[in-house]
Amino acid sequence: MVKKIGFIGAGNMAEALMRGIIESGEATPPEIIASEVVDARRDYVTKTLEISAVPDNTIVARESNVIVLAVKPNVVAAVLDELRPFLTADHLLISIAAGVKISYIESHLNWGVRVIRVMPNQPCLVGASASGYALGKSARKEDQELVQRILESVGVAFVMEEKLLDAVTGLSGSGPAYVYMMIEALADGGVLCGLPRDVAVTLAAQTVFGAAKTVLETKMHPASLKDTVASPGGTTIEGLRVLEEGGLRGIVIDAVEAAAKKSQELGKS
């Protein structure tokens, strides 16, 4: 059990992580503090999560030994420069700032501050995140174990080399948008065939949820599960033929690759 977990920024992703930490028992509300510049947002997290919320980032740094950096990438440098005088090798900094490399974060901190960079995704908001994370040069085994527990409180997580986080960005980071588009398209198909819009959207979303749950729980390869649905000469194989002719498989692969390359470009800039 950590002494105190602090959040710099209390936006939606930070809120989701705080909820997961509390619900998993990793920390109690009195053991969590967050800084947030928006008054209404501070009031909201204070009332709903019963944590402490303050307007000053340095208060969080002084009161916490684990700090989650949950701010926009364009303000990371300024925030780290503000926190630098208060952070030592006794601190673990967990960054969820998209695209900001560990070396950049460490360059704005005192020597020895332990850094772990996390790439979560939007379904963190509903406890179904798919995350990847990488360790900085000073991070310890117990730091990795803590981050693993925190991320597993809102989904699944894998530790990896930092260079692979761009691939995570292209797959699970951007992936929810691809799936939302698929749900929308499935629903449109249902509407085209006569279903009411609300019914079509619910059926489409539940179908995607059910298929994903089946993959995760059975551990079967998606191709094998696909074959169990596609009966000889049936409706499913006819639909699959259309998807193959349209190049769905290749388009999705290309989308993941394109997003990963974009993440690399943003990281360089």
Side-chain angles (χ1 to χ4, degrees):
M1 183 78 71
V2 296
K3 180 181 179 183
K4 193 86 170 183
I5 299 180
F7 282 77
I8 306 295
N12 291 332
M13 196 72 78
E15 179 189 351
L17 289 172
M18 286 187 273
R19 287 186 185 279
I21 288 168
I22 293 168
E23 291 174 3
S24 68
E26 188 64 44
T28 62
E31 293 172 313
I32 299 175
I33 184 172
S35 59
E36 172 58 52
V37 296
V38 179
D39 293 347
R41 188 67 187 172
R42 281 201 310 277
D43 293 342
Y44 170 79
V45 294
T46 299
K47 292 176 182 176
T48 58
L49 300 179
E50 299 180 336
I51 66 163
S52 299
V54 296
D56 188 343
N57 294 333
T58 63
I59 295 175
V60 173
R62 289 196 297 267
E63 294 193 11
S64 310
N65 53 6
V66 175
I67 297 173
V68 180
L69 186 65
V71 298
K72 299 295 184 183
N74 63 313
V75 300
V76 165
V79 170
L80 291 178
D81 290 344
E82 179 187 18
L83 299 179
R84 183 172 185 165
F86 305 95
L87 301 184
T88 69
D90 292 329
H91 290 88
L92 167 63
L93 182 80
I94 303 167
S95 172
I96 64 171
V100 182
K101 293 185 178 298
I102 291 172
S103 59
Y104 182 83
I105 295 170
E106 290 177 337
S107 72
H108 285 268
L109 295 172
N110 294 313
W111 175 260
V113 178
R114 293 122 58 199
V115 175
I116 293 181
R117 176 186 167 193
V118 178
M119 180 62 220
N121 69 350
Q122 188 201 41
C124 177
L125 306 180
V126 293
S129 183
S131 305
Y133 66 97
L135 310 182
K137 56 192 174 187
S138 298
R140 305 168 184 169
K141 180 181 178 181
E142 55 265 35
D143 298 331
Q144 177 184 339
E145 293 170 347
L146 172 62
V147 169
Q148 186 74 34
R149 292 196 304 272
I150 289 174
L151 295 177
E152 286 183 345
S153 74
V154 291
V156 299
F158 298 90
V159 63
M160 60 190 65
E161 295 180 56
E162 186 181 20
K163 65 182 181 180
L164 295 178
L165 290 183
D166 291 318
V168 173
T169 301
L171 175 55
S172 58
S174 301
Y178 313 153
V179 177
Y180 298 146
M181 183 177 285
M182 181 66 174
I183 291 171
E184 182 185 28
L186 286 170
D188 285 345
V191 172
L192 178 64
C193 295
L195 291 174
R197 171 64 63 179
D198 59 338
V199 173
V201 170
T202 300
L203 287 174
Q206 182 65 27
T207 297
V208 170
F209 170 74
K213 194 169 189 286
T214 302
V215 170
L216 292 172
E217 294 190 3
T218 66
K219 308 297 184 184
M220 291 176 63
H221 193 284
S224 297
L225 290 167
K226 177 203 70 180
D227 289 346
T228 65
V229 183
S231 304
T235 60
T236 302
I237 195 64
E238 182 66 16
L240 289 171
R241 178 186 64 79
V242 173
L243 293 176
E244 289 289 7
E245 289 178 350
L248 175 68
R249 192 191 305 264
I251 289 173
V252 173
I253 292 172
D254 289 347
V256 173
E257 183 184 34
K261 287 182 176 178
K262 183 66 174 180
S263 177
Q264 290 176 337
E265 294 171 7
L266 293 174
K268 292 176 182 177
S269 61

